[in-house]
Amino acid sequence: FGTVIIFSIPTASCGRIYSRMLRNAASRCARKQASAKSGLVGAKRHYTHKHKVIQPMKQTIKVTSDEAVNCIASGNRVFIQTAAAAPQQLISAMCRKAPQLKNVEICHLHQEGAAEYKDPKYAQAFKVNNMFTGANMRKAVQEGRAGYIPIMLHEVPLLFKRGIMPLDVAMIHVSPPDRHGYCSLGTSVDVSITAVETAKYVIAQVNPNMPRTHGDGLIHISCIDAVVECNDELPTLHKVAPDEVETKIGFNIASLIEDGATLQMGIGSIPDAVLSFLGNHKRLGIHTEMFADGVVDLVEKGVITNEEKKLYRNRIITGFIMGTKRTYDFIHDNPLVQFLRIEDINDPAIIKQNPKVTAINSCIEVDLTGQVVSDSIGSKIYSGVGGQLDFIRGAALSEGGKPIIALPSTTSKGESRIVPLIKPGGGVVTTRAHVHYVVTEYGVAYLFGKNLHQRAKELIKIAHPDHREALEKHARSLLQAGWDLW
């Protein structure tokens, strides 16, 4: 223990290295389980100070997807990689093994695909814990068939590192190894790299369609316990053009963005609308947990240069992406884009180091004091905490930063999303003490430094005209005599 062994591998072609690493007839997953039962200590994983997994002197086996999931046992906790990188063949194989399993906990952020394991027919085999609730898990969570963990995105890795949620198996999706044997976590490094570092077993789909990305997501193939070769296309984002309301919101937000700003935004119609109005801006930077196609457009136009960032200057920083094939082609082997572990992206102490951080986040409703509900509609969980509070706080601490909450003024049913009181059970993700800017299609409300009376008046100004009179009546009732004072 503690011994350092230095060795070298003779130069060979990529194909020969890969085939040599994969040669092994027996299932190492089965051997490791047998060793664990006998009390033997398995091979230790080694990491550099940059947290890249280096070769720990063991071989990887090439297996079928059904063979790969044999390391999953009843009572295990299994992590599935994020978003477009969710390994669908391994997920399907795990579901086929369901009759042999009981009480397996599956945990993940949002991931694409059908999430077959949430089906009630698998209730005895699987239980699902979401650290962010995507559309494919929403019904299961709302019906109580799946769990939801409210947690800030940059703190998710602590669940694995501190043993609060120790991982037995990490299921990932990687690019083929390069000539040195290194695979890439591709489109999703985020919390996935920590899952790989801390899980007892790592099983992976190796896919030539997975972009090879730069940053923290490099893993030596010998650190993977079993690989399944595949040639699957990655899921792509279906782009929907912003409607009239979203376009107006995008214009209002774009008017707040200064040249030289560092941007954080998610994916969806409102971020797309914002980006569409930035064509004449200059020297913008990107430091965000995720991005999509609109960023590529601005890079190609020379608008996004990252030259005024103090941290990671001249680089786009992200944790994961979900986009079209154009975006996947853009990030492939592109050193301009660095995929980092999420705690090095979303920590407010890191975010604040860049100038003019402009954080753009959406929500479900805002009350007249500025409380922001983002993860639920009343008591029904809709999404998650994600990185909203991370970036709202980081932007507020940044020199010249602007934390922005954006929302349409009404729901699809015409109900006001600026409300006197939040719905019972609604989850306040961003507190009224954290809010600075709230934007709707009717304008911008600046709340920082304003008292409750002043906030209510500012928010009513950007509410839908059909609801302003009723909101003022409620505000007068709630805030009483002080309304006319301010």
Side-chain angles (χ1 to χ4, degrees):
F1 293 99
T3 303
V4 177
I5 300 176
I6 302 174
F7 63 100
S8 62
I9 300 175
T11 303
S13 70
C14 178
R16 288 173 56 199
I17 290 178
Y18 188 28
S19 61
R20 185 168 68 251
M21 290 173 180
L22 295 180
R23 285 199 307 267
N24 199 326
S27 169
R28 195 163 84 253
C29 285
R31 292 204 310 271
K32 287 178 72 176
Q33 285 186 328
S35 296
K37 289 179 180 178
S38 64
L40 297 176
V41 179
K44 183 178 177 67
R45 299 185 189 279
H46 303 277
Y47 312 111
T48 71
H49 70 286
K50 290 292 186 183
H51 306 287
K52 294 177 183 177
V53 187
I54 66 172
Q55 184 173 336
M57 300 172 293
K58 58 183 180 183
Q59 290 184 327
T60 297
I61 58 169
K62 176 182 175 182
V63 295
T64 66
S65 57
D66 290 314
E67 291 170 331
V69 299
N70 280 336
C71 61
I72 300 175
S74 294
N76 279 178
R77 179 178 288 113
V78 178
F79 172 84
I80 298 176
Q81 196 176 352
T82 310
Q88 300 300 333
Q89 290 197 19
L90 293 175
I91 292 170
S92 296
M94 180 180 66
C95 290
R96 289 194 293 271
K97 192 184 178 184
Q100 306 168 45
L101 299 172
K102 289 184 178 180
N103 201 34
V104 172
E105 181 182 335
I106 298 170
C107 63
H108 52 66
L109 299 172
H110 165 66
Q111 52 113 326
E112 292 295 303
E116 182 185 354
Y117 46 82
K118 72 177 184 301
D119 194 294
K121 69 182 180 182
Y122 296 124
Q124 296 301 310
F126 306 125
K127 58 183 180 182
V128 189
N129 233 344
N130 296 269
M131 291 165 280
F132 190 94
T133 305
N136 56 0
M137 289 300 304
R138 198 167 289 148
K139 184 178 179 182
V141 171
Q142 291 177 358
E143 292 178 353
R145 295 185 288 108
Y148 162 62
I149 302 172
I151 186 168
M152 290 184 287
L153 190 53
H154 83 275
E155 292 188 328
V156 171
L158 295 178
L159 300 179
F160 309 146
K161 291 178 180 179
R162 294 179 178 176
I164 297 167
M165 293 179 67
L167 299 176
D168 296 292
V169 180
M171 301 203 307
I172 60 174
H173 193 169
V174 299
S175 68
D178 63 14
R179 65 192 181 94
H180 301 293
Y182 284 91
C183 304
S184 164
L185 283 171
T187 58
S188 296
V189 173
D190 47 67
V191 306
S192 302
I193 183 63
T194 304
V196 170
E197 291 172 346
T198 58
K200 295 175 184 175
Y201 302 96
V202 178
I203 56 179
Q205 288 180 198
V206 176
N207 185 358
N209 296 311
M210 175 61 75
R212 176 179 177 78
T213 57
H214 290 242
D216 289 340
L218 296 180
I219 302 173
H220 198 277
I221 193 167
S222 65
C223 297
I224 300 171
D225 294 294
V227 299
V228 177
E229 291 186 324
C230 71
N231 193 22
D232 298 346
E233 294 294 330
L234 296 185
T236 54
L237 189 67
H238 177 60
K239 293 187 68 174
V240 178
D243 61 23
E244 182 180 358
V245 168
E246 292 161 340
T247 300
K248 289 179 178 178
I249 294 171
F251 176 81
N252 291 337
I253 293 173
S255 69
L256 296 172
I257 297 173
E258 302 176 35
D259 289 342
T262 303
L263 304 182
Q264 174 264 334
M265 61 192 67
I267 56 177
S269 297
I270 291 178
D272 286 348
V274 174
L275 292 169
S276 72
F277 287 108
L278 300 181
N280 293 322
H281 280 63
K282 298 178 177 64
R283 304 181 307 283
L284 298 180
I286 300 292
H287 182 108
T288 185
E289 69 222 32
M290 57 180 169
F291 72 85
D293 290 21
V295 166
V296 181
D297 295 333
L298 294 182
V299 171
E300 292 178 348
K301 291 177 181 178
V303 174
I304 292 174
T305 64
N306 300 285
E307 64 189 87
E308 293 202 11
K309 292 167 63 178
K310 292 182 180 178
L311 192 64
Y312 305 115
R313 182 172 291 163
N314 301 320
R315 296 289 186 271
I316 291 172
I317 299 301
T318 191
F320 67 97
I321 68 160
M322 182 68 198
T324 64
K325 188 176 186 302
R326 177 172 177 241
T327 305
Y328 299 151
D329 290 342
F330 173 74
I331 64 172
H332 177 64
D333 203 22
N334 186 350
L336 171 66
V337 186
Q338 298 286 307
F339 283 72
L340 305 185
R341 54 182 60 239
I342 208 66
E343 60 267 42
D344 288 343
I345 298 172
N346 279 48
D347 187 337
I350 291 174
I351 294 166
K352 73 174 185 178
Q353 295 179 47
N354 279 315
K356 300 180 183 177
V357 174
T358 305
I360 304 162
N361 289 268
S362 60
C363 71
I364 291 170
E365 66 181 11
V366 179
D367 78 5
L368 288 175
T369 71
Q371 296 188 103
V372 177
V373 176
S374 300
D375 67 350
S376 68
I377 301 173
S379 60
K380 290 187 175 182
I381 299 301
Y382 187 81
S383 55
V385 173
Q388 181 173 119
L389 190 55
D390 296 340
F391 273 94
I392 289 294
R393 187 59 183 151
L397 296 173
S398 163
E399 183 178 350
K402 294 178 180 178
I404 298 170
I405 296 292
L407 74 164
S409 64
T410 60
T411 68
S412 58
K413 297 179 180 179
E415 300 171 354
S416 181
R417 294 176 65 168
I418 295 175
V419 296
L421 300 169
I422 60 177
K423 292 181 178 67
V428 175
V429 168
T430 298
T431 75
R432 56 195 178 193
H434 288 95
V435 172
H436 286 214
Y437 294 88
V438 179
V439 179
T440 73
E441 70 271 29
Y442 291 103
V444 178
Y446 184 62
L447 305 185
F448 186 61
K450 290 183 169 60
N451 64 34
L452 298 183
H453 303 81
Q454 294 167 327
R455 285 164 173 252
K457 289 181 178 181
E458 290 299 308
L459 288 166
I460 290 170
K461 289 178 185 177
I462 64 168
H464 194 284
D466 292 348
H467 296 285
R468 291 176 188 173
E469 184 178 346
L471 286 170
E472 183 173 336
K473 182 178 178 181
H474 281 291
R476 286 180 178 275
S477 175
L478 291 169
L479 300 172
Q480 300 178 359
W483 182 259
D484 293 320
L485 179 64
W486 299 98

